[in-house]
Amino acid sequence: MDILYKILIDPFLQMGQAPDLFVQTLWEGLVAGVLYSLIALGFVLIFKASGVFNFAQGIMMVFAALTLVGLHAKGVPAFLALALTVVVMLVLAIGIERLVLRPLVNQPDIILFMATFGLTYFLIGLGEVIFGGEPKTMITDALYLPRGSYEWKAFGGFVAFQKIDIAAVIIASVMVAGLAVFFQKTRIGRALRAVADSHKAALSVGISLEQIWVIVWFTAGIVALATGIMWGARSDVSFALQILALKALPVLILGGFTSIPGAIVGGVIIGVGEKVGEFYWGPLLGSGIESWLAYVIALVFLLFRPQGLFGERIIERI
Amino acid sequence: MRLKYLVLGAAVGSLVGASVLASRAEAQESIFVPLLTYRTGPFAGSGIPIANGMHDYLAMLNERDGGIGGVKLVIEECETGYNNAKGVECYEAVKSKKPVVVNPYSTGITLAIIPKAAVDKIPILSMAYGLSASAVGNEFPWIFNPPATYWDGLSMMFRYIGGKEGGLDKLKGKTIGYIYFDGGYGLEPIPLLEQFAKDYGFTVKKYPVPPAEMQNQSGLWLNVRRDRPDWMIMWGWGAMNPTAVKEAAKINYPMDKFIGIWWSGGDDDARPAGADAKGYLTLNFNGVGTNYPAIQDIVKTVVDKGKSQTPKDKIGENLYNRGVYNSVLIAEAIRNAQKITGKKVVTGEDVRRGFESLKISAARWKELGLPEFGAPIEAVSCTDHNGHHAAYMQQWDGTKWVKVSDWIVPMKEKVRPLLEAAAKDYVTKNQPWPKRTEPCDKST
């Protein structure tokens, strides 16, 4: 009886007794969720264009953030370093298309998937050779990203909003909205959707697969850069960051591998779900449950929508 | 044509012969010291400075003194990535080269190779990490973990906390939070923490950080904000440390009540939070800074000559000096082994004896060019492979670590019986466990 009370009643009582902590938990979940969405978005973009689960998305995030910090450390002004990092991500996208994707056209998806494994280890090695393995501090001040926090006195307590988190939410939202418009309203966006539907049909109407791949990998690189800056500011810029990319997996399971809105909504559900779960139910299970709770949430959703929240329902006639 | 083959064969033969002779000569006139390190992967931030410190001190001995007792050291790193499987691979790879000691530099790897050490006759140095119970020399004759065990570290933290609270009895009814890396390393001190909770009447709140969530701790720290522990203790490593320090500052946790173990006190652990981390405390057992003659010798003979991977501005930082400390223990054990055996080229078995009678007095630290770099090592013996030596508390002042306490001695009287019991328990669970057959030198 006692355990049922602790699971079913006590957490909700706590929410009512300390609403400031409940709001704080929701905020932390929202921030984490938006950042998960950004990571997931990188996966979705590439999956839509090439049907490949890009295992290298995590290391692309680290590589982009390291390039930015590394260039700044060499004396390059912050915004020039940012621009140069964008150029590096473009060169990387072109290189990946020429050297990895193009030779593997028409190969089974699993071959391309394995190629992204290779790419991951290549980028880890390259990053370590160029920048070393030591953690770096994100150039938050030089990029005029805000520090400190606002405290909102409410509900007999307070809710703290870190300025960097507010910036992360705004930047992520703007990026997501921009990408949505780009892919819905522009010619390239329509071409990408055509490629996502069918490579052959897209080729037959004159869409350049190579060009689309470069654009998509470059866009995923920019998303990786934004994600790297935000996560780097919350912790540090190190190779450990790539582990965080795995957080995108439950988001993708939940939101669907091909849906941009799915990545966004899925990210927020996972972020809020795991923080609320950790805070109110975690202590019952010894705390530290976030790493697997995200998958449980995703699996529960899958019971009702096997194709994910916004994933395409595949109906095959037999 | 035949002449051509003859000449070619002779050339190849002489080359092979020369290399065999050379390797034999090297084997006879050198001492092989492998270093299991991690310069890559998620824990490289902590692993690199330690690897540099370990390497540079031994390299300096080669450059300045021609090795130890006139015998050159062959230093070879093996990259583990702080991964247990790779660590065991490294151990197996270096084993055949007859190492005089192996440093796993990971509690997980140490736990995996403890059963192998006695079989292979290779001493394992797990300096202030690894299995705390391996301090019991009668059960673990080949494992050494000076200068202090994790359990000593925890007891020193409680001495400090007791001092601040006006006595350990004042902890009754209070709450101590324990945030830890959810692996072998972070789990290690929990039995003693729970024992202390019973003894002093406080409540323990545990906050495990899974390896995949090292940089995503905001949920856990909300729990800390709700639970309001009176003190927070951390057993963190790698990227977990700077994230935890930042999160603690974020929830306005009083930083002068947040104490990390000695592995949570790297400069890169506190630096990312900068001024927000001001007040954060960690234990330490080695000196920091470059103001030691031996460190200056490292700069002169190794770093300035391009024989090191260390950036000059990182020399003297806490974890770099920790690596130096580690190598001092190795070097002194080898020197001791040479003294005991009268041999120049010592073996793993000799160095095991060297460790069992390891003594580094204050005068010896000075002689080594490291005055007051560490507490005197004087209590390692056949039965006690740790010595339970003192450490001190350091505090982040916003830009650097500052020593804020005298040497704090561990509660050996509390720790030792628990270690003995834990060692017995380990042996019982890992039967058949070999009985100690190694004799104890009179000098110990």
Side-chain angles (χ1 to χ4, degrees), chain A residues 24 36 158 233 235 247 279, chain B residues 213 216 225-226 243 246:
Chain A
Q24 186 78 66
Y36 296 161
F158 72 93
S235 177
K247 294 300 282 194
F279 190 70
Chain B
E213 303 289 339
N216 187 25
R225 183 177 148 187
R226 174 188 52 202
T243 312
K246 276 193 169 183

Side-chain angles (χ1 to χ4, degrees), chain A residues 120-189:
Chain A
T120 302
Y121 289 105
F122 172 74
L123 287 178
I124 290 173
L126 186 66
E128 279 169 351
V129 166
I130 299 173
F131 306 108
E134 301 93 340
K136 318 272 188 296
T137 304
M138 180 43 71
I139 49 171
T140 317
D141 294 334
L143 289 171
Y144 295 103
L145 288 169
R147 275 182 185 270
S149 63
Y150 296 113
E151 273 193 14
W152 177 39
K153 303 268 182 220
F155 312 116
F158 72 93
V159 182
F161 297 98
Q162 293 294 312
K163 292 177 185 172
I164 186 74
D165 290 348
I166 297 171
V169 170
I170 293 171
I171 291 169
S173 305
V174 168
M175 280 197 77
V176 166
L179 285 170
V181 170
F182 178 70
F183 287 114
Q184 293 294 331
K185 305 286 181 192
T186 64
R187 200 177 61 83
I188 295 171

Side-chain angles (χ1 to χ4, degrees), chain B residues 223-354:
Chain B
N223 287 348
V224 175
R225 183 177 148 187
R226 174 188 52 202
D227 300 340
R228 297 177 194 280
D230 297 282
W231 290 84
M232 278 297 288
I233 289 172
M234 175 158 76
W235 245 251
W237 191 227
M240 178 185 153
N241 290 330
T243 312
V245 173
K246 276 193 169 183
E247 290 289 343
K250 199 168 114 181
I251 64 158
N252 295 330
Y253 190 82
M255 299 305 278
D256 59 350
K257 297 205 161 185
F258 184 19
I259 308 177
I261 186 64
W262 38 71
W263 301 116
S264 297
D267 291 63
D268 285 329
D269 295 336
R271 195 181 285 131
D276 292 343
K278 200 171 169 183
Y280 169 56
L281 296 154
T282 70
L283 280 175
N284 198 356
F285 52 78
N286 55 265
V288 292
T290 56
N291 200 17
Y292 298 95
I295 303 274
Q296 291 305 321
D297 286 345
I298 289 176
V299 174
K300 215 174 357 176
T301 60
V302 182
V303 180
D304 284 349
K305 291 194 174 163
K307 293 178 177 175
S308 163
Q309 297 187 52
T310 317
K312 222 168 172 179
D313 61 330
K314 296 275 183 185
I315 296 169
E317 285 196 352
N318 190 18
L319 291 187
Y320 179 85
N321 283 14
R322 185 76 48 82
V324 169
Y325 186 105
N326 191 108
S327 282
V328 169
L329 296 186
I330 295 172
E332 289 299 285
I334 292 172
R335 215 183 298 274
N336 212 18
Q338 288 173 331
K339 205 167 84 184
I340 295 168
T341 61
K343 294 194 277 184
K344 292 276 180 201
V345 181
V346 286
T347 64
E349 285 161 288
D350 301 328
V351 173
R352 193 200 68 77
R353 292 168 63 193

Side-chain angles (χ1 to χ4, degrees), chain B residues 58-67 72 301-302 305 307:
Chain B
L58 297 175
M60 182 272 283
L61 294 182
N62 271 347
E63 296 298 317
R64 189 190 65 185
D65 307 338
K72 283 258 185 195
T301 60
V302 182
K305 291 194 174 163
K307 293 178 177 175

